[in-house]
Structures are given as C-alpha cells and as structure tokens.
Amino acid sequence: MRAVDIIIKKRHGESLDEKEIRFFIEGYVKGEIPDYQVSALLMAIFFQGMSAQETAALTQAMLDSGERMDLSGIPGPFIDKHSTGGVGDKISLPLAPIVAACGVRVPMMSGRALGHTGGTLDKLESIPGYITDLEPAEFRKGLLEEGFAMTGQTAHIVPADKKLYALRDVTGTIESIPLITASILSKKVAEGAEGIVFDVKCGSGAFMKGYDDAKALAKSLVATGKKMGKKVVAVLTNMSQPLGYKVGNFLEIEEALDCLEGKGPKDVMELTYWLGAWMLVLGGKAKDVSEGKSLCEEAIESKAALNLFYRNVVRQGGNLEEMQKKRGSWRSEYSMEIRADKDGYIASIDALKIGLAGVYLGVGRNRTEDSVSPTAGFIFDKKSGYHVSKGERIATLFGKDSQSLEAAFPLALNAISIENTAPSISSLILEEITVS
Ligand code: URA
C-alpha cells in the first residue's frame, strides 16, 4: 500500500476502506508517514468528505492508537456528555453529580479553555487544592464511590488525535465534519462511555456557528456513534449569548453550586435537566425525557447531587472550607462596570465577543501553554431581553491585571447591544437529533 495512492483516491472523491484508513493512521503515529502526506490526505478529506462508514473506520483507527480507560469491575451504566464548547458553559459541573445521583455513572474526561471557549478543568482547578490529573486507580475509585470523577486526558488516550489535531490546526483543516467527528468520538469511546449525549452548540460563541453546519455535525456524531456500537443522541443548543450570569473559572464554580442548591439560573438549569434527562434515558434509568427530568429535579431537591459534588471535591484534593469561604467574594481587585448608555432592551450579548474579551481578562487562553486566572471573568446583572435604564449596570468585568481589563473592556462593551424594542429570544434547546 502506498500513501500517495490513498491520497489520490480520496482526492477523486472515492471511499477509502478500513485497511487504507488504518494504514495511514498507524503509519502517521509511528512516524512512518510524513506530515506533508497526512496534510494532503486531510485536505482531500476536507473537500471530498467521508461516508459514515469511513468516519467510523477513522474513529476506530484513531481509538486503537492508544489506551482505553479500564472500567472493568465497576458496574455501569456509563454515560457521558460532550459539549462542542461555549461561553459560560458550566453544565458539566452540576450535570455529572445529578446524573450520578440517579444511578448512572459518568466517566468525565474534560478539556481546558482554548480561544474564546471555557474549559471544565480550569474551572475545577480554581477550587483551592483540586486536582484534575487523576491516576487511573483514583479515577476508578471516584467513579465507583461517587458515581463520577473529573479528569483530564492522559497522553495515552488517542495519541493519533493529538498529532492530527496539531496538523489540522496549521493546515486549515479543522472545520471538516468527518475529522471533527472522529476526533471527538475516538476520545469519548476511549474513556469507556457506553452512551454519549452530545451538546452541539450553534450561534456566535459556538465552534459551528451556523445552524446547518451544527446540525450536520450533530448528525455525523449520531451516525458514527451508532456505527461504533454506542447509544447516542445529539441536542442542538443555542450559544448566541453566554450561559448563565457568570463567566469565569471560580465564578462558574459559584454558579454551579447555586445550581446544585436549587437556585441556578433558568437557562443553565434548563440545559442541565435536558442533557441529564437524556443521559438517564440512554442509561436505562428513565423511560423518556420527561421522567428523566423529574429524576434530575429530585436529585437537586434531595441535595443528593450537591452532596456528591462535595464528596468529589474532597476526593480530588479540593478544600471545601476554602471553597465556601471564597464563594461570593473571591474576585480580582481589577474590575470595571458596563452600564447602559440609554434606556431600552438588551437585544444581544454576543457570546463570541464576550469569550474573546474573557481571554484578555484571563478566563481563557490563546495558546495551550498560557495560564488562566481563577478570579477573572464577568458577572452579568442583565441578559438579552431585559429592560435597562440609562446608567444601570449590565455587567462587571474582573481582569487578571489592569492592562488586561483595559484591553477587554471595549470588546465587552461592543458585545452588548441595546434597542428600543424587546427582542425575540430564540429558545435554548433548538433540536434533538436521534437518527442520522
Ligand atoms: N473538538 C475536538 O475534540 N476535536 C475537533 O476536531 C474539534 C473540536
């Protein structure tokens, strides 16, 4: 088999078989196929696409490049959630303990903030002492005893994705549905989930901004996930404004605690319950979404989910007392307020601009090696649809230092528009995709 023949075949729009795909992935990981040939294949895939069959073969070959989380001996079901990333998206934090409290185990491997999107690991690490690089034995113990654990990906999980993603990043081939599908799904399957609920965001703050692109990705994830023998569903959700009232690392921990105490913002709770309900359906604990939602609500009302979250914090080295002490007051000393310049209705709060301003503030990072600040971020007093009077505060920004605040402020100001008439607010849950 020759790499060049496979590249030409795909360039002509023909389907690759499983052996050809495996030859490429294995050869690349071993260093036998050079970057320039893999780049050429990636570009051919970008333009010609891949069938669900090919995407599943690519996912499997990438999965087989590394290790899988060993969950043997732990009773299931194991169901996870994957979000394509957004601004103020702290859903994983209340979701995992809620679902675990309902009897479905959640083996959660999360990522870090990158670009305008936040990362669950950075949020968790803002809890003093909290550790996210768990040894497999610790991860298993948490999963067994609390029903969930939160860790980062090890270098041994899907090494092919690390190499391929870095190459895609510099060859203009990130935005390819089959390549995104294989990248996301291979990592989710490696962590041992039997079922996955995908939260595919769409809107300005989303990876896939347009509805049609987001829907195509959702369908591809569902089709390929099913071919891989997984129970899958995708929910298309709106990411045109940040989720909740707080954006930041410790600020989002605070909002997650509010959710677990039954006083979370409406949008965050709506999405948490929706995704949680589907996780319970896939895990066989609820017959439908409506029953799943009632079970999730009970887990909040009984404080079962909150107690599991506390136990997880302690297990992963976090200082509960410090966390509670800092709650409501741990803010950067560098702050500025955005106030309404006229009477009217908030027509939009652009999630992308807020996310990018967040990078300046120190919530997120441009490069993987950058550090983030626990106390940077935004607290919104008002969201889209609210009426404001001239001079009324809409948001407070907290920056890691005064320069970052100066840089973020104009961008954040520009993200908020005020109009004379009330805007029509589109719903948060846009569509559910259960079949491809
Ligand atoms: N997220 C991933 O994990 N992979 C992609 O290719 C895109 C988004």
Side-chain angles (χ1 to χ4, degrees):
M1 218 177 274
R2 293 192 322 153
V4 65
D5 298 327
I6 299 172
I7 296 168
I8 292 168
K9 192 171 172 188
K10 184 41 77 185
R11 196 191 74 197
H12 287 159
E14 291 170 42
S15 286
L16 303 182
D17 65 30
E18 195 251 318
K19 284 201 188 82
E20 290 164 328
I21 291 171
R22 190 167 285 277
F23 168 81
F24 237 99
I25 298 301
E26 285 179 358
Y28 186 47
V29 172
K30 283 191 205 145
E32 291 165 5
I33 302 183
D35 278 358
Y36 52 80
Q37 285 191 302
V38 180
S39 304
L41 182 68
L42 291 173
M43 193 56 84
I45 293 171
F46 183 92
F47 281 113
Q48 296 292 359
M50 274 183 147
S51 66
Q53 194 69 38
E54 288 175 287
T55 310
L58 177 62
T59 309
Q60 188 66 47
M62 287 172 65
L63 177 64
D64 294 343
S65 72
E67 292 173 0
R68 293 186 194 212
M69 189 60 81
D70 175 17
L71 301 180
S72 58
I74 306 175
F78 301 102
I79 309 290
D80 198 3
K81 183 264 314 186
H82 176 84
S83 151
T84 56
V87 181
D89 182 3
K90 71 278 295 162
I91 303 290
S92 293
L93 303 170
L95 181 69
I98 289 174
V99 172
C102 298
V104 168
R105 290 186 208 277
V106 186
M108 200 164 257
M109 276 196 204
S110 303
R112 294 196 178 276
L114 192 57
H116 71 279
T117 59
T120 300
L121 297 183
D122 296 310
K123 294 169 199 179
L124 287 166
E125 284 175 3
S126 72
I127 301 173
Y130 197 103
I131 290 163
T132 58
D133 54 345
L134 296 182
E135 291 297 327
E138 289 173 291
F139 186 72
R140 284 176 54 91
K141 206 148 181 240
L143 208 45
L144 193 61
E145 294 184 12
E146 279 82 58
F148 76 103
M150 318 277 256
T151 194
Q153 255 158 42
T154 69
H156 309 294
I157 298 276
V158 198
D161 184 59
K162 288 197 179 66
K163 282 192 87 170
L164 282 171
Y165 196 89
L167 194 59
R168 286 168 57 205
D169 204 20
V170 294
T171 55
T173 51
I174 291 280
E175 298 88 353
S176 151
I177 301 270
L179 296 178
I180 299 169
T181 302
S183 166
I184 292 175
L185 208 49
S186 58
K187 290 176 283 191
K188 283 287 140 187
V189 176
E191 72 181 36
E194 299 154 34
I196 309 144
V197 176
F198 292 103
D199 175 7
V200 180
K201 310 274 190 201
C202 111
S204 80
F207 179 63
M208 288 286 173
K209 302 200 184 327
Y211 193 87
D212 293 347
D213 286 341
K215 188 164 175 177
L217 175 59
K219 284 187 154 206
S220 172
L221 286 165
V222 169
T224 314
K226 285 192 176 167
K227 285 216 180 297
M228 306 285 298
K230 302 292 166 190
K231 296 176 199 160
V232 276
V233 63
V235 184
L236 277 185
T237 68
N238 196 335
M239 184 32 79
S240 48
Q241 72 166 337
L243 270 171
Y245 287 84
K246 289 182 175 172
V247 177
N249 291 309
F250 193 69
L251 285 169
E252 291 191 43
I253 293 289
E254 290 182 359
E255 200 161 72
L257 286 167
D258 289 346
C259 294
L260 288 164
E261 290 171 351
K263 45 185 201 227
K266 193 171 155 284
D267 58 347
V268 180
M269 291 318 298
E270 182 187 354
L271 188 49
T272 302
Y273 285 145
W274 204 273
L275 298 172
W278 265 114
M279 288 171 80
L280 297 185
V281 170
L282 296 193
K285 298 286 178 190
K287 64 175 185 314
D288 54 28
V289 171
S290 154
E291 190 188 19
K293 271 193 202 161
S294 305
L295 293 171
C296 290
E297 281 164 8
E298 272 170 45
I300 293 289
E301 273 155 34
S302 66
K303 305 262 181 278
L306 178 66
N307 289 328
L308 281 182
F309 185 78
Y310 287 158
R311 280 173 47 188
N312 167 265
V313 170
V314 173
R315 173 175 303 284
Q316 300 205 199
N319 186 330
L320 264 190
E321 229 173 280
E322 277 291 299
M323 180 181 82
Q324 296 293 22
K325 233 175 26 201
K326 289 180 181 305
R327 207 172 154 192
S329 62
W330 199 30
R331 313 278 184 257
S332 164
E333 61 185 285
Y334 304 100
S335 67
M336 279 172 102
E337 292 175 347
I338 294 182
R339 291 186 177 267
D341 58 357
K342 59 178 177 186
D343 291 355
Y345 293 90
I346 300 184
S348 59
I349 300 179
D350 188 299
L352 176 61
K353 289 177 183 164
I354 295 297
L356 293 174
V359 176
Y360 284 120
L361 293 176
V363 174
R365 52 170 75 76
N366 276 319
R367 294 168 308 163
T368 42
E369 57 273 25
D370 295 344
S371 61
V372 295
S373 156
T375 57
F378 300 83
I379 301 180
F380 289 93
D381 297 282
K382 310 269 164 163
K383 300 273 303 274
S384 298
Y386 281 66
H387 185 271
V388 283
S389 306
K390 186 173 176 183
E392 205 177 337
R393 190 176 66 196
I394 299 174
T396 309
L397 280 65
F398 299 93
K400 61 182 179 209
D401 51 38
S402 57
Q403 295 97 303
S404 67
L405 200 55
E406 297 290 333
F409 189 78
L411 195 53
L413 192 63
N414 185 256
I416 302 170
S417 71
I418 300 174
E419 304 287 349
N420 293 332
T421 49
S424 63
I425 304 288
S426 55
S427 53
L428 181 60
I429 316 285
L430 301 169
E431 193 173 342
E432 290 173 340
I433 313 283
T434 50
V435 288
S436 53

